[in-house]
Amino acid sequence: MNKYAPALSQRLSLDLGWRFHRGDIPMPEITGYLPSYENAKAGKAWGAAAPGFDDSDWRILDVPHDWVVEGPFLQEANVSQGYRPTGIAWYRKAFRLDEDDNGKFLELQFDGIATHATVWVNGLLVHRNFCGYTPFQIDITPLATYGEQLNSVAIRVDAEAREGWWYEGGGLYRHTWLVKRSPVFISTYGLFASPISNGGGCWSVPVEVTLGNIERLAAAVSVTAELRDPDGHLVVVGRSQASVPSLGTVLVPLALEVTDPQLWSPDSPSLYTVDVMVWRDDAPIDSAQVPCGFRSIRFDPALGFFLNDRPLKLQGTCNHQDHAGVGVAVPDALWEFRIRRLQEMGCNAYRAAHNPPAPEFLDACDRLGMLVMNENRNFNHTPEYLGQLAHLVRRDRNHPSVILWSVFNEEPMQETEQGREMVRRMVAEVRKWDPSRPVTAAVNGGFLNDTGVFEVIDVMGFNYTDYAYDAFHQKHPTIPITSAEDTSAFMTRGEFENDPSRNVVSSYDTEVANWGQTHRKAWQLIAERPFVAGGFVWTGFDYRGEPQRLEWPSVSSVFGIMDTCGFPKTAFYIHQSHWIKDRPVLAIAPHWNWPGKEGQPVRVIVMTNAEVVELFLNGQSLGEKGVPVFDYADWIVPYEPGKLLAVARKNGEEVARATMETTGEAVALHWEWDGRPLRGDGCDAAALTIQAVDAAGRIVPRSNPLVTFTLQGAGKILGHGNGDHNCHDPEQGNQRRLFHGLAQVIVQSEAGGCGALVVEASCPGLDLGVLTLDVKNVRPRPTVPAIQPVFFLKEWRMSPPQNHRPNPTQEMAEADMNTWPSVNTGTLQNVPPGAWAIYRTRFLPWKNLQREGGRVMIKKVVGLEEAWLDGGQVPVPSAAGEFEFVLPPSSNLRVLTLILRSGPSGDMGLQGVAQIVRHVEEGTNRG
């Protein structure tokens, strides 16, 4: 099925046209009897949470969005957040629903908000979310308005609240959605289909479908489940019947039997799909689809991890979720970019450290064949936090890439009885939703105790304490183990001498944390032990914050095998030489540009999976050396400009050669990317590399010019970076300094765009770098249109009906909540024929309307006799229908009084919407 194909349910992107204000907007102090009374009532929100709040001068932007990455670096800010201030901000959005949507189940979905969020819909406080990584959903069916009325969403985001000791960003940094379903529907995360091997090529696919019903009566339905192969061909169908209770749910089980399916693995990630349809009176009313991968997993206490009954060493990395230029607001396409970079290194496993990842990341892992340890954020057994854990499991349990659930990371309570009991309850919660995968935890102590969390989890995860591998295995030979986190070695890309004065660290794989190992030693300790399932290097990519062992001005970590852009460090080639078996690996370090060091010794290392390697300098052999299995070969070479050549051999035969040359001065800028065209859907993105090159086209490693970027065509620059952990350049804008000859620019297509997207890089003294990307015209993602907010006149009060014309200056007592009831536009009131009543609203127009004035427009007033604005009479039309008049500029509170008289039917009221529009079309402040 096409990713954006129409379905019975609609999942519409809500990403476009949010209004954003950085900084808190305190709620006004509530004084007086009437405000106090109203404050206690549902639907009465104040300040920026109010539907009618004036956000006309707020910035307009699209999400995902991370406001923290837009800010400066401040030495007094939190080191773990990368010295970037966080703070509080607000987001607001208005949207319309068609009249046809009335009666449907309507839900807002938020994939992730950093960090704590409070959400109001149409003035009602509907949700508080206290995890920046856990998605949440809000049933807005009872609150929704339709037609010309607008629905309002207001979100206060507190990024000062922190859950981690790493950069977490701030804002609506993952996607937002509006979901429309039939009144009898498949619940969110309500489809589970995880294949089970029965042996002999026979498989079962138990399918569980959770249905909901917002109707007044129970509904009789039937459910069908279709399994389709990777080519979309139907394999098998299952059917079942169900009765869905009113305002309740029911779980409908089905069973599918399959013989000899294509198996899912990192080498061949074959993806089936399970399509479920709900039928009522022989008509389809709802549908859903999930991926399905046929693979068996097993952690053996003696022989490690088995995938599809074959041993497979987990060659993994741990990673946080931020990327250069965009912070945590990572475009979908960048997840695939990052996974492919890891796979190029030989990585087959990924630990989402230390939180639930983006859904699009797991989609990419399914497609590309990356195994995942999926990790919970908060260690807590109470209902709210078990709910977060349940969300993680229910959301991600259909992904074949997920092979482990991790319930905590390095918790101080892990060795206590209390901690063990908490874990026991968390494990039970996981198994309630997914009994098919083992549960682990990233433990960093208590391995040799007689009791511990190993009693209640399935796989023991070791963080660093590699000295305990053998002792734990000997003491607990029936418990499988894996390294959940290892290595913690330091490198600065392109640097090969420690220089504390510049906060740079050598890249020879000699610098480690006091709790860690070199990349070579950490892998050796895992690889030599068949009972250790594998390992997860800390980390695959550098990340903002936690610049151990450094401090200011370093603003990101140096643990990464790659930097924040995904540019390789020496560790990349070390792991290639360890992890890649099916092709020759050969790489030389360092670069060979050392002016001023002629004749001085330079350490040269060669990383390879070959048996021996011979090194040449300018054609002269420097000797052949055997290469230890878990090490590299090295030489001390007096520096002489020219060319290093390494020749690798196996069984006496040459299998590979690699060179490292002294370059000339940089003369030009050159772009490099994967060659893939962009989809013109407004979501696709590409990570482009800009290089400073010499006349021969070689990257000049010591060239760090300031480069200016321009873009023409249907796209925009999201951000840029260079991987330098000491760089304080802004990550948005049109300029970036290269670091060791490289920088990265992330561009994104525009919705509906097609044709050429031209990106230019310029720097005085260097030839212009020009890159043309092809943007394909594709069907855009179904989206809720971005609209301009409207100033509605909503808070009307109606006087008691009277037999004679009322005085328009008549006031109600402040404490009168009964004789002057609230009335809504779009509805009529029925009173005795010929009765009179006052309809009154008090309002403070938005700032632009205060300055410029506008027009009051009321679509239809039934029984209108007189109108008064601020005590002055306004002419009214002689015929019923639309009523409008000029609103003069003023910064005062305005009072609009309408005198109505009912006709023979007794009806009166504001049958249409009442609003104020500007004299001129509002501009935009998008950015």
Side-chain angles (χ1 to χ4, degrees), residues 160-489:
E160 293 176 348
R162 295 173 189 143
E163 296 179 90
W165 52 97
W166 58 88
Y167 177 88
E168 297 186 287
L172 277 65
Y173 74 99
R174 291 180 181 169
H175 291 300
T176 59
W177 308 91
L178 169 65
V179 178
K180 303 177 182 180
R181 300 189 180 109
S182 73
V184 180
F185 56 91
I186 301 170
S187 300
T188 301
Y189 312 140
L191 174 53
F192 180 35
S194 183
I196 298 172
S197 174
N198 299 319
C202 296
W203 291 74
S204 299
V205 186
V207 179
E208 296 179 355
V209 185
T210 302
L211 302 179
N213 178 11
I214 61 170
E215 294 185 336
R216 294 179 181 273
L217 300 174
V221 299
S222 61
V223 180
T224 58
E226 297 180 347
L227 178 71
R228 296 187 176 272
D229 70 16
D231 296 320
H233 300 136
L234 181 63
V235 178
V236 64
V237 179
R239 293 178 174 83
S240 187
Q241 306 293 322
S243 177
V244 191
S246 172
L247 296 181
T249 61
V250 66
L251 189 148
V252 183
L254 301 93
L256 306 177
E257 304 296 327
V258 186
T259 302
D260 295 327
Q262 302 174 46
L263 300 185
W264 185 96
S265 70
D267 294 331
S268 180
S270 300
L271 278 177
Y272 288 66
T273 56
V274 173
D275 293 309
V276 168
M277 189 83 73
V278 182
W279 302 78
R280 191 177 188 182
D281 299 328
D282 297 323
I285 58 172
D286 201 7
S287 63
Q289 182 187 82
V290 293
C292 180
F294 289 86
R295 87 299 179 254
S296 63
I297 56 177
R298 174 167 57 93
F299 285 83
D300 187 281
L303 299 175
F305 176 66
F306 284 74
L307 180 67
N308 299 328
D309 295 323
R310 295 183 178 180
L312 179 67
K313 207 75 167 180
L314 298 177
Q315 299 172 170
T317 63
C318 306
N319 295 284
H320 289 308
Q321 62 177 356
D322 64 297
H323 191 89
V326 294
V328 294
V330 178
D332 298 353
L334 267 191
W335 294 121
E336 183 164 325
F337 168 84
R338 286 165 67 92
I339 293 167
R340 289 191 183 279
R341 298 297 286 142
L342 292 167
Q343 289 178 323
E344 182 184 345
M345 184 177 66
C347 176
N348 63 19
Y350 187 111
R351 177 184 175 210
H354 306 285
N355 48 265
E360 296 77 20
F361 163 77
L362 291 176
D363 291 340
C365 289
D366 289 344
R367 293 193 308 270
L368 300 177
M370 178 66 76
L371 303 169
V372 177
M373 180 194 295
N374 204 336
E375 192 154 285
N376 174 57
R377 169 76 292 271
N378 292 303
F379 184 53
N380 197 309
H381 74 290
T382 55
E384 179 175 345
Y385 292 96
L386 286 183
Q388 293 177 9
L389 179 58
H391 253 82
L392 164 66
V393 177
R394 295 183 67 227
R395 185 195 71 172
D396 297 346
R397 59 188 175 173
N398 289 300
H399 290 283
S401 55
V402 176
I403 61 168
L404 278 169
W405 302 114
S406 176
V407 292
F408 73 75
N409 173 75
E410 296 182 359
E411 289 292 337
M413 295 180 68
Q414 65 196 2
E415 297 185 47
T416 67
E417 180 180 355
Q418 293 84 355
R420 185 173 66 251
E421 285 301 303
M422 290 169 64
V423 173
R424 192 162 69 91
R425 285 156 176 77
M426 296 173 76
V427 171
E429 186 69 23
V430 172
R431 289 176 178 155
K432 178 166 67 176
W433 301 108
D434 176 26
S436 69
R437 294 174 179 86
V439 180
T440 188
V443 183
N444 65 333
F447 294 99
L448 304 184
N449 295 349
D450 292 330
T451 63
V453 293
F454 55 80
E455 298 175 281
V456 294
I457 58 178
D458 302 308
V459 178
M460 187 63 165
F462 280 66
N463 276 23
Y464 300 106
T465 43
D466 44 59
Y467 64 84
Y469 289 160
D470 295 331
F472 182 89
H473 179 60
Q474 183 176 6
K475 189 170 184 178
H476 305 285
T478 62
I479 299 178
I481 70 172
T482 186
S483 167
E485 186 173 321
D486 54 72
T487 310
S488 274

Side-chain angles (χ1 to χ4, degrees), residues 623-753:
E624 184 178 79
K625 293 190 177 184
V627 184
V629 175
F630 300 106
D631 210 338
Y632 50 59
D634 63 341
W635 289 259
I636 301 299
V637 181
Y639 175 64
E640 173 185 309
K643 180 169 72 173
L644 289 170
L645 167 67
V647 178
R649 300 184 178 95
K650 279 188 177 181
N651 300 319
E653 298 290 331
E654 179 180 326
V655 294
R657 57 175 53 203
T659 62
M660 186 68 69
E661 296 180 291
T662 306
T663 71
E665 294 297 317
V667 298
L669 296 170
H670 174 75
W671 290 101
E672 184 179 85
W673 98 111
D674 60 13
R676 179 182 62 86
L678 288 176
R679 299 184 305 276
D681 57 5
C683 303
D684 200 8
L688 314 177
T689 300
I690 186 68
Q691 305 168 338
V693 299
D694 68 3
R698 298 169 299 193
I699 299 173
V700 181
R702 292 187 175 275
S703 181
N704 303 318
L706 180 65
V707 177
T708 299
F709 308 109
T710 61
L711 183 147
Q712 295 179 340
K716 59 184 175 181
I717 295 176
L718 290 182
H720 40 71
N722 60 16
D724 180 4
H725 56 85
N726 296 314
C727 182
H728 293 181
D729 288 352
E731 295 186 66
Q732 271 86 46
N734 68 337
Q735 286 190 319
R736 189 70 183 190
R737 192 173 305 279
L738 273 58
F739 180 58
H740 289 299
L742 302 174
Q744 183 179 81
V745 179
I746 299 166
V747 298
Q748 187 174 59
S749 67
E750 289 182 357

Side-chain angles (χ1 to χ4, degrees), residues 765-837:
L766 300 180
D767 289 348
L768 189 71
V770 180
L771 174 67
T772 301
L773 292 90
D774 188 19
V775 181
K776 300 292 187 183
N777 186 12
V778 299
R779 184 179 182 181
R781 173 181 289 178
T783 298
V784 176
I787 62 174
Q788 297 290 349
V790 176
F791 190 98
F792 284 109
L793 300 174
K794 283 189 169 184
E795 298 184 358
W796 293 85
R797 303 293 290 273
M798 174 187 174
S799 72
Q802 304 173 35
N803 293 325
H804 52 82
R805 175 189 174 277
N807 186 334
T809 63
Q810 178 180 340
E811 292 289 341
M812 71 172 186
E814 184 181 22
D816 186 353
M817 309 303 165
N818 300 297
T819 60
W820 282 69
S822 297
V823 293
N824 297 317
T825 57
T827 61
L828 294 177
Q829 289 70 50
N830 191 263
V831 298
W836 298 75

Side-chain angles (χ1 to χ4, degrees), residues 78-97:
N78 186 289
V79 59
S80 291
Q81 294 291 321
Y83 292 106
R84 271 205 161 111
T86 53
I88 295 170
W90 284 80
Y91 294 82
R92 289 173 50 88
K93 183 174 176 65
F95 64 94
R96 282 192 172 91
L97 291 167

